[in-house]
Amino acid sequence: MDTNKPSIKPAFSVDAPSSQYLVYAENGLLDELGNILKTQGVDGTVYIISDSNVWSSHGEQVVTSLNRGDLESKVFTVDAGEATKSLSTANQLYEWLASERCERKSTLMALGGGMIGDLTGFVAATFLRGIPFIQIPTSLSAMVDASIGGKTAVNLSSGKNLVGAFYQPKLVLADLNTLRTLPTRELASGWAEAIKHGLILDSNLFYMFEENHNGLINLEPDLTRSIVQRSMEIKGKIVEQDEKETTGLRMLLNYGHTIGHALESVTNYSSFLHGEAVSVGMIAAGKISVSMGLLSNKDLDRYTNVLTNYGLPTSCPSIDPDSVLNAIQMDKKVKDKKINWILLREIGHSFVSSTVDDRVVQDTIKDICS
Ligand SMILES: NC(=O)c1ccc[n+]([C@@H]2O[C@H](COP(=O)([O-])OP(=O)(O)OC[C@H]3O[C@@H](n4cnc5c(N)ncnc54)[C@H](O)[C@@H]3O)[C@@H](O)[C@H]2O)c1
Ligand SMILES: [Zn+2]
């Protein structure tokens, strides 16, 4: 028997037009990382990019595991936090890779949350005109969202994610045990994006979130694995059908994001975590759906309870409604002058609408801010 053969199997594959890749999501995966990479044909030096928090909690385990798979690794750690996702950090990484004589057949590894995934993916897409990279998402939001789909970017002072590329990873490997060191608020923020996948496309997934909140917030291993895998798979299926946001399907992932982004912007990105703002935004989008005679009040109550049970906010009483409206108008001016609202017909059925009455939007924003 081959003792080095990994016992962990892929959860699913993403068959996107530009590339196909496997996604693994298991408890205890990091210990098998070296063996999995070896069997997936990874060779040469692995250049790990991580942030200070993630590296101190999981770095040693990753290096030990890579050694077990006979893989040499080098590490560059950056400060945790969104400010690090910049061209200046990308430049430091290019210089580091050049000084290490990183080659086209080398592999970059993003070990961290979405900030690290986006930054590493961007550097991988551009260094030597593109080298392979692997996503090891360690936050829940990176697992169910950022690590899958190939959107890579850095921020400019004039806006977030303004410079980037579509560039798919070679593999996505999530160890659900890493969620145990994630701060509780970050975990809740990730649940918002995971629950969103059920709300927009999969009522059964939503019911699983509804029925299992105690087990999930306590990260019960089997439950967490199956439900997080399902949520990741929905993202993967959307990416397969609309890799570069051309058919409109990928737009459904923006459920709750129009008002969510406005809330983040009016509070200077300092009050809400992204998933918290999206949670309030999903309530607002649900209220708009109810006002337009689409969604039932019963369904809205049902998912309001679910978001509350996962520790997420469902209103924002301290925010001035006019500032939220202004932020939405600004966004509208910057983009193509019409807002594409994502609405629900029922739980699990979403669609895009650009014909929401301004009055309904104003009343809804007043409602969530009261
Ligand atoms: N590419 C995409 O499709 C996509 C989608 C959504 C979000 N994003 C991007 O992702 C970023 C947000 O990602 P995020 O929410 O993961 O934020 P993040 O990467 O900043 O991580 C949040 C915090 O959790 C810490 N952390 C992460 N994993 C940990 C762990 N296992 N243990 C302890 N601490 C841990 C980080 O150090 C950080 O302090 C943003 O830059 C956003 O633009 C990209
Ligand atoms: Zn989001």
Side-chain angles (χ1 to χ4, degrees):
M1 192 180 135
D2 182 357
T3 48
N4 283 332
K5 208 160 178 220
S7 53
I8 291 180
K9 303 268 177 299
F12 60 94
S13 69
V14 178
D15 299 326
S18 74
S19 74
Q20 305 185 332
Y21 50 98
L22 296 173
V23 177
Y24 292 72
E26 281 292 341
N27 300 288
L29 179 145
L30 287 187
D31 287 332
E32 294 254 26
L33 191 59
N35 289 333
I36 296 173
L37 295 192
K38 208 71 194 171
T39 55
Q40 290 300 324
V42 175
D43 217 347
T45 306
V46 176
Y47 293 89
I48 307 171
I49 298 168
S50 190
D51 78 23
S52 40
N53 295 335
V54 175
W55 188 252
S56 65
S57 299
H58 304 288
E60 200 180 309
Q61 192 184 5
V62 167
V63 172
T64 308
S65 183
L66 291 178
N67 286 342
R68 268 204 298 274
D70 293 326
L71 285 165
E72 193 197 347
S73 57
K74 306 245 162 107
V75 186
F76 194 106
T77 59
V78 296
D79 289 342
E82 189 64 19
T84 295
K85 206 177 100 177
S86 65
L87 279 171
S88 99
T89 315
N91 191 45
Q92 288 173 29
L93 289 164
Y94 296 140
E95 296 291 357
W96 172 62
L97 293 170
S99 70
E100 293 287 348
R101 304 195 186 288
C102 169
E103 300 169 345
R104 245 199 214 140
K105 65 177 179 25
S106 309
T107 302
L108 293 199
M109 177 184 282
L111 175 68
M115 185 282 279
I116 284 293
D118 279 13
L119 172 70
T120 306
F122 176 71
V123 169
T126 46
F127 187 71
L128 300 178
R129 301 191 185 85
I131 57 175
F133 90 112
I134 295 170
Q135 289 274 18
I136 315 277
T138 61
S139 72
L140 183 55
S141 91
M143 288 179 191
V144 300
D145 193 0
S147 65
I148 299 170
K151 275 192 184 177
T152 74
V154 293
N155 304 324
L156 300 183
S157 49
S158 40
K160 273 172 64 76
N161 299 321
L162 289 184
V163 180
F166 282 102
Y167 191 68
Q168 302 290 346
K170 291 287 168 216
L171 281 169
V172 178
L173 301 134
D175 184 342
L176 299 158
N177 282 349
T178 60
L179 299 178
R180 296 183 181 282
T181 58
L182 190 66
T184 312
R185 252 184 96 192
E186 295 286 354
L187 191 60
S189 178
W191 288 128
E193 300 278 9
I195 293 166
K196 180 194 75 184
H197 292 159
L199 285 174
I200 59 171
L201 282 173
D202 185 344
S203 54
N204 285 334
L205 176 65
F206 173 81
Y207 303 143
M208 286 193 254
F209 278 115
E210 187 175 47
E211 279 158 25
N212 295 297
H213 72 268
N214 280 326
L216 283 174
I217 55 183
N218 290 314
L219 297 173
E220 266 177 31
D222 289 345
L223 200 59
T224 308
R225 184 193 52 232
S226 64
I227 296 181
V228 171
Q229 276 187 1
R230 180 74 199 122
S231 189
M232 294 171 85
E233 198 170 356
I234 291 176
K235 173 85 194 258
K237 292 290 158 227
I238 291 179
V239 168
E240 284 178 352
Q241 294 167 66
D242 187 15
E243 184 181 10
K244 298 199 172 152
E245 239 163 32
T246 49
T247 72
L249 184 65
R250 201 162 173 165
M251 217 187 265
L252 299 178
L253 293 166
N254 288 338
Y255 188 59
H257 282 59
T258 301
I259 290 179
H261 283 148
L263 290 174
E264 288 181 287
S265 150
V266 300
T267 52
N268 281 324
Y269 295 88
S270 58
S271 304
F272 295 99
L273 294 181
H274 176 68
E276 294 171 339
V278 168
S279 175
V280 179
M282 291 196 291
I283 297 297
K287 283 179 185 284
I288 292 173
S289 306
V290 170
S291 297
M292 292 176 68
L294 299 160
L295 186 70
S296 69
N297 264 313
K298 189 167 152 258
D299 273 359
L300 178 60
D301 288 348
R302 203 166 167 177
Y303 88 68
T304 306
N305 282 337
V306 169
L307 294 171
T308 307
N309 285 339
Y310 283 80
L312 288 158
T314 55
S315 64
C316 48
S318 57
I319 309 284
D320 167 29
D322 289 335
S323 65
V324 179
L325 265 173
N326 286 341
I328 292 174
Q329 296 305 330
M330 285 292 289
D331 211 35
K332 186 166 134 180
K333 275 196 200 119
V334 172
K335 291 181 186 155
D336 54 4
K337 300 198 182 218
K338 69 176 190 326
I339 299 174
N340 289 311
W341 291 95
I342 317 302
L343 303 176
L344 289 191
R345 267 195 195 93
E346 57 186 284
I347 288 173
H349 294 269
S350 54
F351 68 102
V352 183
S353 168
S354 54
T355 56
V356 177
D357 199 72
D358 285 350
R359 190 82 230 163
V360 171
V361 175
Q362 286 161 17
D363 290 348
T364 301
I365 292 176
K366 275 198 196 110
D367 190 3
I368 56 160
C369 293
S370 64

